[in-house]
Amino acid sequence: MESPGRMITDEDKRIRGMEAREDFVRDTWYPIWESKRLGRQPVRVTRLGRELVLWRDGQGQPVAQEAACPHRGADLSRGRVVGGCLECPYHGMRFAADGACVRVPCEGKARPIRADLRVKGYAVRESLGLVWLWWGEQREELPPLPWNHEIPGTGAGTCTATLTWNVPFARVMEGNLDLHHFPFAHRRWAPGMGTWLDPYTARLEGDVIHTHGVMREDDGKPWDGRSGFEAELRVLFPHLLLARFGRRTQALVAATPIDAENTWVVFRYRSQLPLVGGLVAWLLVQTELRFIQPEDYALLRDSEPRHPVRQDFHLVRADAGIALWFRLYERRLEAQRTPSSHAPVMHVP
Ligand code: FES
Ligand SMILES: [Fe+2]
């Protein structure tokens, strides 16, 4: 039985229900695909609960549109790009990057094309080796891509990998902000790592959660400034995490909801060690993929409830960053439900 302090209110249930119904944080640029994996062939991806086809137009610019052909619903990702347009595999209708249908072969060239024969699209940009999709209200001018100058690119000394997890978005972000699980969840890879998170600070500046902590032996003394494992994590709400380990290693972890139950995760390491940086980054990514992430995945996938609210947890001091994230998350979802923000998720045009 739950104690009174742990009562789950109707409001909590409502928030949880919202999440399960695929309400994602809006007005955000989400990374949805790796640039290097988008070539001449269209690809189909599910992101933010939508079935999308990604392709490149005549200028090589990425395009994201609804995967179902507006004619009779065929999967446009099975089509091909011809003359800078996407051709449906079923009856050959062609759609331009702006969504307009420009050719209906069965009607001949002379017959006008009905104006409502359009494919819905989303604003996308490409930067830092990733394709980003704007999930939010259409605006005259969209905000710049987030942290564009801080995120490590794909140049020398970097290595990138992506994962698809059967874990809801909020649970992934909770895991990302967690420092003190390491000596337990990843015991085999951190022999001798102290279990005391001290010092630890977490603070909010705008939409950025800053945390800094040191995992070390619990000697009961103030930190000497050297011992232990020091990490600095920043999360640009809701989905981008930049981590610094020591002076020369950085990591990006970006999470994008696939749907309410699944999340796409991008890992990127950068090592600034001269000459061997690329190798070090590759080794770090391999270690993540083979050893660390499977352990996190199993824990997060099976954590209950899958769509938590803060009241489900009994948080401790070392969870302060997670508490800040959930506070922002719940506030943002709440704000999105107010009538003024009920503008439909935008489509271009
Ligand atoms: S379903 Fe796409 S052209 Fe007919
Ligand atoms: Fe972990």
mmCIF file of all heavy atoms in Angstrom, residues 305-344:
data_model
loop_
_atom_site.group_PDB
_atom_site.id
_atom_site.type_symbol
_atom_site.label_atom_id
_atom_site.label_comp_id
_atom_site.label_asym_id
_atom_site.label_seq_id
_atom_site.Cartn_x
_atom_site.Cartn_y
_atom_site.Cartn_z
ATOM 1 N N PRO A 305 7.349 2.256 -13.096
ATOM 2 C CA PRO A 305 6.544 2.145 -14.309
ATOM 3 C C PRO A 305 7.326 2.668 -15.511
ATOM 4 O O PRO A 305 8.276 3.431 -15.347
ATOM 5 C CB PRO A 305 5.351 3.048 -14.008
ATOM 6 C CG PRO A 305 5.882 4.071 -13.066
ATOM 7 C CD PRO A 305 6.926 3.384 -12.241
ATOM 8 N N ARG A 306 6.907 2.273 -16.675
ATOM 9 C CA ARG A 306 7.633 2.704 -17.869
ATOM 10 C C ARG A 306 7.475 4.194 -18.134
ATOM 11 O O ARG A 306 8.330 4.810 -18.754
ATOM 12 C CB ARG A 306 7.143 1.919 -19.099
ATOM 13 C CG ARG A 306 7.804 0.563 -19.218
ATOM 14 C CD ARG A 306 7.229 -0.236 -20.357
ATOM 15 N NE ARG A 306 7.595 0.259 -21.674
ATOM 16 C CZ ARG A 306 8.744 -0.016 -22.292
ATOM 17 N NH1 ARG A 306 9.661 -0.743 -21.702
ATOM 18 N NH2 ARG A 306 8.976 0.447 -23.507
ATOM 19 N N HIS A 307 6.378 4.758 -17.659
ATOM 20 C CA HIS A 307 6.149 6.190 -17.858
ATOM 21 C C HIS A 307 6.008 6.854 -16.492
ATOM 22 O O HIS A 307 4.908 7.164 -16.052
ATOM 23 C CB HIS A 307 4.902 6.419 -18.707
ATOM 24 C CG HIS A 307 5.027 5.832 -20.075
ATOM 25 N ND1 HIS A 307 5.752 6.456 -21.071
ATOM 26 C CD2 HIS A 307 4.561 4.685 -20.608
ATOM 27 C CE1 HIS A 307 5.703 5.699 -22.162
ATOM 28 N NE2 HIS A 307 5.001 4.628 -21.905
ATOM 29 N N PRO A 308 7.125 7.043 -15.806
ATOM 30 C CA PRO A 308 7.031 7.535 -14.431
ATOM 31 C C PRO A 308 6.718 9.025 -14.354
ATOM 32 O O PRO A 308 6.983 9.790 -15.284
ATOM 33 C CB PRO A 308 8.426 7.261 -13.869
ATOM 34 C CG PRO A 308 9.318 7.312 -15.059
ATOM 35 C CD PRO A 308 8.510 6.820 -16.234
ATOM 36 N N VAL A 309 6.157 9.421 -13.227
ATOM 37 C CA VAL A 309 6.128 10.830 -12.843
ATOM 38 C C VAL A 309 7.007 10.930 -11.598
ATOM 39 O O VAL A 309 7.351 9.915 -10.996
ATOM 40 C CB VAL A 309 4.690 11.308 -12.548
ATOM 41 C CG1 VAL A 309 3.871 11.305 -13.828
ATOM 42 C CG2 VAL A 309 4.028 10.456 -11.486
ATOM 43 N N ARG A 310 7.375 12.153 -11.239
ATOM 44 C CA ARG A 310 8.322 12.308 -10.129
ATOM 45 C C ARG A 310 7.853 11.615 -8.856
ATOM 46 O O ARG A 310 8.631 11.081 -8.087
ATOM 47 C CB ARG A 310 8.566 13.792 -9.837
ATOM 48 C CG ARG A 310 9.729 14.359 -10.599
ATOM 49 C CD ARG A 310 9.900 15.815 -10.273
ATOM 50 N NE ARG A 310 8.697 16.568 -10.557
ATOM 51 C CZ ARG A 310 8.460 17.798 -10.124
ATOM 52 N NH1 ARG A 310 9.350 18.413 -9.378
ATOM 53 N NH2 ARG A 310 7.350 18.423 -10.433
ATOM 54 N N GLN A 311 6.534 11.630 -8.642
ATOM 55 C CA GLN A 311 6.015 11.046 -7.411
ATOM 56 C C GLN A 311 6.192 9.536 -7.350
ATOM 57 O O GLN A 311 6.018 8.937 -6.294
ATOM 58 C CB GLN A 311 4.527 11.393 -7.251
ATOM 59 C CG GLN A 311 4.278 12.831 -6.859
ATOM 60 C CD GLN A 311 4.297 13.771 -8.066
ATOM 61 O OE1 GLN A 311 4.684 13.388 -9.175
ATOM 62 N NE2 GLN A 311 3.920 15.010 -7.843
ATOM 63 N N ASP A 312 6.532 8.931 -8.456
ATOM 64 C CA ASP A 312 6.795 7.489 -8.426
ATOM 65 C C ASP A 312 8.135 7.178 -7.766
ATOM 66 O O ASP A 312 8.375 6.052 -7.354
ATOM 67 C CB ASP A 312 6.840 6.929 -9.854
ATOM 68 C CG ASP A 312 5.472 6.886 -10.500
ATOM 69 O OD1 ASP A 312 4.519 6.479 -9.818
ATOM 70 O OD2 ASP A 312 5.363 7.261 -11.672
ATOM 71 N N PHE A 313 9.018 8.175 -7.715
ATOM 72 C CA PHE A 313 10.382 7.940 -7.244
ATOM 73 C C PHE A 313 10.538 8.355 -5.775
ATOM 74 O O PHE A 313 9.738 9.126 -5.244
ATOM 75 C CB PHE A 313 11.378 8.779 -8.053
ATOM 76 C CG PHE A 313 11.398 8.498 -9.536
ATOM 77 C CD1 PHE A 313 11.518 9.549 -10.444
ATOM 78 C CD2 PHE A 313 11.345 7.205 -10.035
ATOM 79 C CE1 PHE A 313 11.563 9.306 -11.812
ATOM 80 C CE2 PHE A 313 11.395 6.957 -11.406
ATOM 81 C CZ PHE A 313 11.503 8.021 -12.298
ATOM 82 N N HIS A 314 11.565 7.833 -5.139
ATOM 83 C CA HIS A 314 12.026 8.352 -3.845
ATOM 84 C C HIS A 314 13.446 8.856 -4.098
ATOM 85 O O HIS A 314 14.422 8.119 -3.912
ATOM 86 C CB HIS A 314 12.048 7.266 -2.783
ATOM 87 C CG HIS A 314 10.673 6.790 -2.412
ATOM 88 N ND1 HIS A 314 9.986 5.866 -3.152
ATOM 89 C CD2 HIS A 314 9.868 7.140 -1.394
ATOM 90 C CE1 HIS A 314 8.799 5.657 -2.596
ATOM 91 N NE2 HIS A 314 8.705 6.420 -1.527
ATOM 92 N N LEU A 315 13.556 10.063 -4.553
ATOM 93 C CA LEU A 315 14.848 10.559 -5.016
ATOM 94 C C LEU A 315 15.760 10.919 -3.843
ATOM 95 O O LEU A 315 15.300 11.280 -2.761
ATOM 96 C CB LEU A 315 14.645 11.776 -5.922
ATOM 97 C CG LEU A 315 13.850 11.489 -7.202
ATOM 98 C CD1 LEU A 315 13.663 12.765 -8.013
ATOM 99 C CD2 LEU A 315 14.513 10.416 -8.050
ATOM 100 N N VAL A 316 17.058 10.816 -4.093
ATOM 101 C CA VAL A 316 18.064 11.200 -3.108
ATOM 102 C C VAL A 316 18.888 12.353 -3.698
ATOM 103 O O VAL A 316 18.712 12.725 -4.859
ATOM 104 C CB VAL A 316 18.963 10.006 -2.716
ATOM 105 C CG1 VAL A 316 18.144 8.949 -1.980
ATOM 106 C CG2 VAL A 316 19.645 9.399 -3.945
ATOM 107 N N ARG A 317 19.793 12.873 -2.875
ATOM 108 C CA ARG A 317 20.576 14.043 -3.287
ATOM 109 C C ARG A 317 21.267 13.837 -4.636
ATOM 110 O O ARG A 317 21.320 14.729 -5.487
ATOM 111 C CB ARG A 317 21.622 14.325 -2.196
ATOM 112 C CG ARG A 317 22.501 15.533 -2.401
ATOM 113 C CD ARG A 317 23.643 15.518 -1.390
ATOM 114 N NE ARG A 317 24.411 14.277 -1.496
ATOM 115 C CZ ARG A 317 25.564 14.162 -2.151
ATOM 116 N NH1 ARG A 317 26.109 15.215 -2.721
ATOM 117 N NH2 ARG A 317 26.191 13.000 -2.224
ATOM 118 N N ALA A 318 21.791 12.632 -4.827
ATOM 119 C CA ALA A 318 22.541 12.347 -6.054
ATOM 120 C C ALA A 318 21.660 12.295 -7.299
ATOM 121 O O ALA A 318 22.162 12.182 -8.417
ATOM 122 C CB ALA A 318 23.306 11.019 -5.896
ATOM 123 N N ASP A 319 20.347 12.354 -7.103
ATOM 124 C CA ASP A 319 19.410 12.362 -8.234
ATOM 125 C C ASP A 319 18.954 13.775 -8.581
ATOM 126 O O ASP A 319 17.984 13.942 -9.337
ATOM 127 C CB ASP A 319 18.149 11.549 -7.894
ATOM 128 C CG ASP A 319 18.445 10.087 -7.623
ATOM 129 O OD1 ASP A 319 19.267 9.513 -8.361
ATOM 130 O OD2 ASP A 319 17.849 9.533 -6.688
ATOM 131 N N ALA A 320 19.628 14.770 -8.052
ATOM 132 C CA ALA A 320 19.124 16.148 -8.212
ATOM 133 C C ALA A 320 18.980 16.539 -9.685
ATOM 134 O O ALA A 320 18.043 17.240 -10.059
ATOM 135 C CB ALA A 320 20.039 17.133 -7.484
ATOM 136 N N GLY A 321 19.904 16.101 -10.527
ATOM 137 C CA GLY A 321 19.806 16.432 -11.952
ATOM 138 C C GLY A 321 18.570 15.791 -12.573
ATOM 139 O O GLY A 321 17.882 16.401 -13.406
ATOM 140 N N ILE A 322 18.283 14.569 -12.158
ATOM 141 C CA ILE A 322 17.106 13.860 -12.674
ATOM 142 C C ILE A 322 15.831 14.572 -12.221
ATOM 143 O O ILE A 322 14.882 14.729 -12.994
ATOM 144 C CB ILE A 322 17.147 12.388 -12.198
ATOM 145 C CG1 ILE A 322 18.309 11.674 -12.890
ATOM 146 C CG2 ILE A 322 15.822 11.678 -12.461
ATOM 147 C CD1 ILE A 322 18.648 10.321 -12.316
ATOM 148 N N ALA A 323 15.848 15.028 -10.957
ATOM 149 C CA ALA A 323 14.668 15.751 -10.454
ATOM 150 C C ALA A 323 14.425 17.017 -11.273
ATOM 151 O O ALA A 323 13.279 17.340 -11.618
ATOM 152 C CB ALA A 323 14.872 16.098 -8.981
ATOM 153 N N LEU A 324 15.506 17.723 -11.612
ATOM 154 C CA LEU A 324 15.346 18.939 -12.418
ATOM 155 C C LEU A 324 14.770 18.600 -13.792
ATOM 156 O O LEU A 324 13.903 19.295 -14.304
ATOM 157 C CB LEU A 324 16.705 19.640 -12.595
ATOM 158 C CG LEU A 324 17.245 20.380 -11.386
ATOM 159 C CD1 LEU A 324 18.670 20.876 -11.667
ATOM 160 C CD2 LEU A 324 16.338 21.544 -11.023
ATOM 161 N N TRP A 325 15.281 17.529 -14.385
ATOM 162 C CA TRP A 325 14.798 17.153 -15.723
ATOM 163 C C TRP A 325 13.299 16.843 -15.688
ATOM 164 O O TRP A 325 12.536 17.334 -16.524
ATOM 165 C CB TRP A 325 15.582 15.954 -16.281
ATOM 166 C CG TRP A 325 15.261 15.714 -17.729
ATOM 167 C CD1 TRP A 325 15.898 16.260 -18.798
ATOM 168 C CD2 TRP A 325 14.188 14.925 -18.258
ATOM 169 N NE1 TRP A 325 15.293 15.851 -19.967
ATOM 170 C CE2 TRP A 325 14.236 15.038 -19.671
ATOM 171 C CE3 TRP A 325 13.180 14.142 -17.687
ATOM 172 C CZ2 TRP A 325 13.336 14.389 -20.518
ATOM 173 C CZ3 TRP A 325 12.274 13.500 -18.526
ATOM 174 C CH2 TRP A 325 12.366 13.625 -19.921
ATOM 175 N N PHE A 326 12.891 16.048 -14.718
ATOM 176 C CA PHE A 326 11.471 15.685 -14.646
ATOM 177 C C PHE A 326 10.596 16.900 -14.376
ATOM 178 O O PHE A 326 9.473 16.979 -14.863
ATOM 179 C CB PHE A 326 11.235 14.592 -13.596
ATOM 180 C CG PHE A 326 11.323 13.212 -14.196
ATOM 181 C CD1 PHE A 326 12.545 12.574 -14.313
ATOM 182 C CD2 PHE A 326 10.198 12.570 -14.685
ATOM 183 C CE1 PHE A 326 12.636 11.325 -14.898
ATOM 184 C CE2 PHE A 326 10.285 11.318 -15.273
ATOM 185 C CZ PHE A 326 11.504 10.695 -15.382
ATOM 186 N N ARG A 327 11.137 17.840 -13.588
ATOM 187 C CA ARG A 327 10.341 19.033 -13.320
ATOM 188 C C ARG A 327 10.080 19.803 -14.619
ATOM 189 O O ARG A 327 8.963 20.187 -14.923
ATOM 190 C CB ARG A 327 11.056 19.931 -12.305
ATOM 191 C CG ARG A 327 10.111 20.907 -11.640
ATOM 192 C CD ARG A 327 10.792 21.579 -10.491
ATOM 193 N NE ARG A 327 11.603 22.705 -10.942
ATOM 194 C CZ ARG A 327 12.607 23.235 -10.261
ATOM 195 N NH1 ARG A 327 12.949 22.732 -9.084
ATOM 196 N NH2 ARG A 327 13.284 24.251 -10.721
ATOM 197 N N LEU A 328 11.158 19.978 -15.390
ATOM 198 C CA LEU A 328 11.006 20.668 -16.679
ATOM 199 C C LEU A 328 10.056 19.904 -17.603
ATOM 200 O O LEU A 328 9.210 20.484 -18.271
ATOM 201 C CB LEU A 328 12.364 20.793 -17.382
ATOM 202 C CG LEU A 328 13.330 21.834 -16.882
ATOM 203 C CD1 LEU A 328 14.639 21.735 -17.666
ATOM 204 C CD2 LEU A 328 12.749 23.227 -17.021
ATOM 205 N N TYR A 329 10.225 18.614 -17.612
ATOM 206 C CA TYR A 329 9.443 17.764 -18.516
ATOM 207 C C TYR A 329 7.948 17.861 -18.195
ATOM 208 O O TYR A 329 7.120 18.062 -19.080
ATOM 209 C CB TYR A 329 9.937 16.335 -18.350
ATOM 210 C CG TYR A 329 9.348 15.322 -19.294
ATOM 211 C CD1 TYR A 329 9.481 15.463 -20.665
ATOM 212 C CD2 TYR A 329 8.689 14.198 -18.804
ATOM 213 C CE1 TYR A 329 8.963 14.513 -21.529
ATOM 214 C CE2 TYR A 329 8.171 13.235 -19.660
ATOM 215 C CZ TYR A 329 8.309 13.407 -21.023
ATOM 216 O OH TYR A 329 7.804 12.461 -21.873
ATOM 217 N N GLU A 330 7.628 17.733 -16.928
ATOM 218 C CA GLU A 330 6.219 17.773 -16.541
ATOM 219 C C GLU A 330 5.629 19.157 -16.791
ATOM 220 O O GLU A 330 4.499 19.291 -17.250
ATOM 221 C CB GLU A 330 6.070 17.314 -15.088
ATOM 222 C CG GLU A 330 6.321 15.805 -15.008
ATOM 223 C CD GLU A 330 6.510 15.263 -13.602
ATOM 224 O OE1 GLU A 330 6.299 16.021 -12.632
ATOM 225 O OE2 GLU A 330 6.864 14.082 -13.474
ATOM 226 N N ARG A 331 6.425 20.186 -16.519
ATOM 227 C CA ARG A 331 5.943 21.549 -16.781
ATOM 228 C C ARG A 331 5.705 21.764 -18.266
ATOM 229 O O ARG A 331 4.734 22.388 -18.672
ATOM 230 C CB ARG A 331 6.978 22.567 -16.323
ATOM 231 C CG ARG A 331 6.829 22.918 -14.877
ATOM 232 C CD ARG A 331 7.657 24.154 -14.624
ATOM 233 N NE ARG A 331 7.913 24.278 -13.210
ATOM 234 C CZ ARG A 331 8.916 24.946 -12.689
ATOM 235 N NH1 ARG A 331 9.784 25.537 -13.489
ATOM 236 N NH2 ARG A 331 9.066 25.025 -11.402
ATOM 237 N N ARG A 332 6.628 21.273 -19.067
ATOM 238 C CA ARG A 332 6.522 21.519 -20.500
ATOM 239 C C ARG A 332 5.313 20.794 -21.084
ATOM 240 O O ARG A 332 4.559 21.350 -21.879
ATOM 241 C CB ARG A 332 7.799 21.065 -21.200
ATOM 242 C CG ARG A 332 7.883 21.480 -22.658
ATOM 243 C CD ARG A 332 8.003 22.986 -22.851
ATOM 244 N NE ARG A 332 9.354 23.425 -22.601
ATOM 245 C CZ ARG A 332 10.308 23.467 -23.533
ATOM 246 N NH1 ARG A 332 10.025 23.148 -24.782
ATOM 247 N NH2 ARG A 332 11.512 23.843 -23.216
ATOM 248 N N LEU A 333 5.111 19.546 -20.666
ATOM 249 C CA LEU A 333 3.950 18.814 -21.176
ATOM 250 C C LEU A 333 2.664 19.497 -20.728
ATOM 251 O O LEU A 333 1.708 19.601 -21.486
ATOM 252 C CB LEU A 333 3.966 17.359 -20.696
ATOM 253 C CG LEU A 333 5.039 16.450 -21.305
ATOM 254 C CD1 LEU A 333 4.806 15.007 -20.892
ATOM 255 C CD2 LEU A 333 5.083 16.543 -22.817
ATOM 256 N N GLU A 334 2.687 19.987 -19.493
ATOM 257 C CA GLU A 334 1.514 20.688 -18.979
ATOM 258 C C GLU A 334 1.239 21.945 -19.823
ATOM 259 O O GLU A 334 0.111 22.207 -20.228
ATOM 260 C CB GLU A 334 1.754 21.062 -17.506
ATOM 261 C CG GLU A 334 0.635 21.842 -16.852
ATOM 262 C CD GLU A 334 -0.651 21.034 -16.775
ATOM 263 O OE1 GLU A 334 -0.578 19.821 -16.552
ATOM 264 O OE2 GLU A 334 -1.716 21.651 -16.956
ATOM 265 N N ALA A 335 2.306 22.706 -20.095
ATOM 266 C CA ALA A 335 2.138 23.944 -20.868
ATOM 267 C C ALA A 335 1.622 23.639 -22.272
ATOM 268 O O ALA A 335 0.844 24.405 -22.829
ATOM 269 C CB ALA A 335 3.465 24.688 -20.947
ATOM 270 N N GLN A 336 2.064 22.518 -22.819
ATOM 271 C CA GLN A 336 1.627 22.165 -24.171
ATOM 272 C C GLN A 336 0.133 21.857 -24.236
ATOM 273 O O GLN A 336 -0.457 21.878 -25.297
ATOM 274 C CB GLN A 336 2.402 20.937 -24.678
ATOM 275 C CG GLN A 336 3.825 21.247 -25.011
ATOM 276 C CD GLN A 336 4.597 20.066 -25.567
ATOM 277 O OE1 GLN A 336 5.800 20.165 -25.742
ATOM 278 N NE2 GLN A 336 3.946 18.951 -25.829
ATOM 279 N N ARG A 337 -0.422 21.557 -23.061
ATOM 280 C CA ARG A 337 -1.848 21.215 -23.054
ATOM 281 C C ARG A 337 -2.749 22.433 -22.899
ATOM 282 O O ARG A 337 -3.950 22.322 -23.035
ATOM 283 C CB ARG A 337 -2.141 20.235 -21.917
ATOM 284 C CG ARG A 337 -1.507 18.890 -22.103
ATOM 285 C CD ARG A 337 -2.202 17.867 -21.246
ATOM 286 N NE ARG A 337 -2.122 18.189 -19.838
ATOM 287 C CZ ARG A 337 -1.167 17.748 -19.037
ATOM 288 N NH1 ARG A 337 -0.221 16.986 -19.509
ATOM 289 N NH2 ARG A 337 -1.161 18.075 -17.779
ATOM 290 N N THR A 338 -2.161 23.591 -22.598
ATOM 291 C CA THR A 338 -3.006 24.772 -22.437
ATOM 292 C C THR A 338 -3.516 25.181 -23.815
ATOM 293 O O THR A 338 -2.821 25.012 -24.814
ATOM 294 C CB THR A 338 -2.230 25.938 -21.797
ATOM 295 O OG1 THR A 338 -1.143 26.256 -22.651
ATOM 296 C CG2 THR A 338 -1.718 25.582 -20.423
ATOM 297 N N PRO A 339 -4.729 25.750 -23.878
ATOM 298 C CA PRO A 339 -5.352 26.020 -25.175
ATOM 299 C C PRO A 339 -4.486 26.862 -26.106
ATOM 300 O O PRO A 339 -4.432 26.613 -27.299
ATOM 301 C CB PRO A 339 -6.631 26.769 -24.795
ATOM 302 C CG PRO A 339 -6.925 26.329 -23.402
ATOM 303 C CD PRO A 339 -5.597 26.081 -22.760
ATOM 304 N N SER A 340 -3.726 27.827 -25.538
ATOM 305 C CA SER A 340 -2.966 28.720 -26.413
ATOM 306 C C SER A 340 -1.886 27.979 -27.177
ATOM 307 O O SER A 340 -1.430 28.414 -28.217
ATOM 308 C CB SER A 340 -2.333 29.839 -25.595
ATOM 309 O OG SER A 340 -1.391 29.284 -24.706
ATOM 310 N N SER A 341 -1.449 26.859 -26.634
ATOM 311 C CA SER A 341 -0.370 26.157 -27.331
ATOM 312 C C SER A 341 -0.924 24.965 -28.121
ATOM 313 O O SER A 341 -0.209 24.043 -28.444
ATOM 314 C CB SER A 341 0.684 25.681 -26.342
ATOM 315 O OG SER A 341 0.154 24.713 -25.488
ATOM 316 N N HIS A 342 -2.209 25.029 -28.421
ATOM 317 C CA HIS A 342 -2.795 23.894 -29.133
ATOM 318 C C HIS A 342 -2.615 23.978 -30.641
ATOM 319 O O HIS A 342 -3.271 23.237 -31.371
ATOM 320 C CB HIS A 342 -4.266 23.736 -28.779
ATOM 321 C CG HIS A 342 -4.431 22.769 -27.643
ATOM 322 N ND1 HIS A 342 -5.635 22.521 -27.046
ATOM 323 C CD2 HIS A 342 -3.537 21.990 -26.992
ATOM 324 C CE1 HIS A 342 -5.455 21.638 -26.071
ATOM 325 N NE2 HIS A 342 -4.198 21.315 -26.033
ATOM 326 N N ALA A 343 -1.766 24.851 -31.061
ATOM 327 C CA ALA A 343 -1.502 24.910 -32.507
ATOM 328 C C ALA A 343 -1.047 23.525 -32.953
ATOM 329 O O ALA A 343 -0.297 22.861 -32.252
ATOM 330 C CB ALA A 343 -0.435 25.933 -32.791
ATOM 331 N N PRO A 344 -1.482 23.080 -34.085
ATOM 332 C CA PRO A 344 -1.112 21.740 -34.519
ATOM 333 C C PRO A 344 0.384 21.647 -34.770
ATOM 334 O O PRO A 344 1.029 22.646 -35.088
ATOM 335 C CB PRO A 344 -1.886 21.561 -35.827
ATOM 336 C CG PRO A 344 -2.182 22.956 -36.288
ATOM 337 C CD PRO A 344 -2.278 23.807 -35.075
#
